Amino acid sequence: MIAFRIDRRSGVATYLQLAHQVRQALRLGVLEPGDRLPTAKEVVEAIAVNPNTVLRAYRELEREGLVEPRPGQGTFVRRSLARPAAGADSPLRAEAAAWVGRARAAGLEREDVAALAASVLDDAFPLPDPPPPFIPAQKQKHTNTSTQEEDT
């Protein structure tokens, strides 16, 4: 079962935080196809958010094809995003945990570690160059280049 955490100071909409956490749980294998998400009522009781916020997050995930509502039963995971190399027992996770431990021992705070990791990710996974801007062809003025002489 997933336990949601909301950062009310982040500036990120609560429903987006909830949807992101479900996606992350799907990537890490915490949630698997067939698992039931907490009901809106359970989430409201756990983290004191509006039930419509939870429903909005679940609708977002449904649009992405990740979950499906079953009337009278709840919302269930349809598909996983997990990759074996990202699992809880993965050597990569162990290495990442060790690195975070070294970063904390070096005096870095959570935000420092997040910024450093984001920087490394940006270097490793650069965004594609945006396409060049569309510049419409300029209309050419049609001028009469022949000169007419008047008979005088």
Side-chain angles (χ1 to χ4, degrees), residues 18 24-25 32 36 39 56 70 75 79 84 92 113 116-117 123 126 132 136 142 147:
L18 295 173
Q24 190 170 11
E32 297 178 346
R36 184 179 68 83
T39 65
R56 185 173 181 189
R70 296 181 191 161
T75 301
R79 67 183 177 95
L92 288 174
V113 172
L116 184 55
D123 290 346
H142 295 287
T147 58

Side-chain angles (χ1 to χ4, degrees), residues 18-35:
L18 295 173
H20 172 75
Q21 289 174 46
V22 170
R23 282 189 218 96
Q24 190 170 11
L26 291 169
R27 286 191 187 287
L28 297 175
V30 174
L31 289 173
E32 297 178 346
D35 287 348

Side-chain angles (χ1 to χ4, degrees), residues 15 18-19 22-23 37 40 50-69 75:
Y15 85 95
L18 295 173
V22 170
R23 282 189 218 96
L37 295 180
N50 187 302
N52 291 328
T53 300
V54 180
L55 296 174
R56 185 173 181 189
Y58 287 6
R59 279 192 307 272
E60 174 90 10
L61 295 164
E62 181 184 2
R63 275 193 297 276
E64 295 172 17
L66 299 174
V67 302
E68 65 181 344
T75 301

